[in-house]
Amino acid sequence: VRTRENNSEFGGSANIAKSLRLSLATSILTMGDNRLVSRLTALFKEICSKSLLTRGQRPIVVSTNQSMVENFEFNRKLSFGSVFSAPFTRSNNAPRQQGTITIPAFQPQTFINAPAGATHFRLIAALGVVSDFTYNINTKKFEPTDPTLDKLGAVTYGAITSLTPNAPVNFSLVVNLPGPPTMTLTANVLQCLGIEFYQKIGNVDYLLAQGNCMKVVKVF
């Protein structure tokens, strides 16, 4: 019985982890490590265990456990803060359809720990929507409470910028969810910030395989 209950909740946790990955699909291709799927599933299984309802059918309520998702690192081997240490602020609008990350003027040489061979970098701001999941007794599956909002996502890319510019650089990255949608209390917006590195050869910027990372900076 315990095994069936655990398998049921594990399957639900895997489903919501997939929703998160799909909502951020365009921005995590170069960011995630080879254990991203299992780490996300474990995170949502932990959130599921917070519920006091019937085992095997406990809802995965992100909306009351948002802090557990905040600061999640998509690359477990390389934290975002160890690569990018420039100060930044974040905000969102009241309807929760837009997120903004503002980075005041900074010197990349001082605040970016770039991998060998990198000549340029690009900042990435992303929003991904993940609904709470509940167990459907009829289908015997975990399903999103807001299927039309679950998996929504959007991304904004900063300009590919030299790591050794002539003057300090600044960024304002505004991301708008498509629609825009009408958000509900059980839909959660993940605001993420990431960085990619490039090597410029001639007029071509080649994306490097190392040094790229991203984290969840806020869930709202």
Side-chain angles (χ1 to χ4, degrees):
V1 173
R2 296 286 84 82
T3 300
R4 288 197 298 270
E5 292 170 349
N6 186 65
N7 287 345
S8 173
E9 293 181 352
F10 182 86
S13 300
N15 287 342
I16 190 171
K18 183 178 180 180
S19 288
L20 186 152
R21 299 196 316 275
L22 290 175
S23 72
L24 299 170
T26 58
S27 53
I28 64 174
L29 289 176
T30 61
M31 307 294 184
D33 59 52
N34 58 4
R35 291 186 56 194
L36 178 61
V37 174
S38 62
R39 291 194 300 116
L40 283 172
T41 300
L43 171 61
F44 289 118
K45 182 66 171 69
E46 184 179 359
I47 291 175
C48 178
S49 69
K50 296 286 185 180
S51 172
L52 300 178
L53 299 182
T54 304
R55 285 177 60 96
Q57 302 178 12
R58 292 179 293 186
I60 306 170
V61 188
V62 178
S63 55
T64 57
N65 296 282
Q66 292 181 343
S67 62
M68 295 179 65
V69 184
E70 290 177 358
N71 297 313
F72 180 84
E73 299 279 357
F74 288 87
N75 187 341
R76 76 186 191 284
K77 298 180 181 179
L78 191 65
S79 69
F80 180 79
S82 69
V83 175
F84 185 85
S85 58
F88 65 87
T89 58
R90 55 142 305 274
S91 61
N92 60 272
N93 65 347
R96 297 189 296 137
Q97 303 158 341
Q98 180 188 86
T100 301
I101 290 179
T102 304
I103 306 169
F106 70 99
Q107 287 285 0
Q109 306 97 309
T110 303
F111 291 98
I112 295 179
N113 182 19
T119 61
H120 290 67
F121 72 96
R122 179 170 71 169
L123 292 172
I124 298 172
L127 296 180
V129 180
V130 176
S131 169
D132 291 350
F133 271 56
T134 54
Y135 186 80
N136 186 323
I137 296 178
N138 296 320
T139 63
K140 300 188 184 307
K141 294 181 179 179
F142 281 84
E143 299 172 354
T145 57
D146 301 283
T148 59
L149 297 174
D150 192 57
K151 305 182 187 68
L152 280 180
V155 61
T156 293
Y157 298 96
I160 295 178
T161 304
S162 172
L163 285 164
T164 55
N166 294 325
V169 294
N170 64 85
F171 298 89
S172 180
L173 305 173
V174 182
V175 189
N176 292 286
L177 289 171
T182 299
M183 304 301 292
T184 66
L185 294 177
T186 54
N188 310 276
V189 184
L190 281 66
Q191 186 174 24
C192 306
L193 180 61
I195 188 170
E196 290 178 337
F197 291 99
Y198 293 81
Q199 184 178 78
K200 192 176 190 68
I201 301 177
N203 293 321
V204 180
D205 295 303
Y206 294 94
L207 178 64
L208 298 182
Q210 65 273 17
N212 309 314
C213 54
M214 185 171 73
K215 72 179 291 185
V216 179
V217 297
K218 185 66 178 178
V219 182
F220 56 84

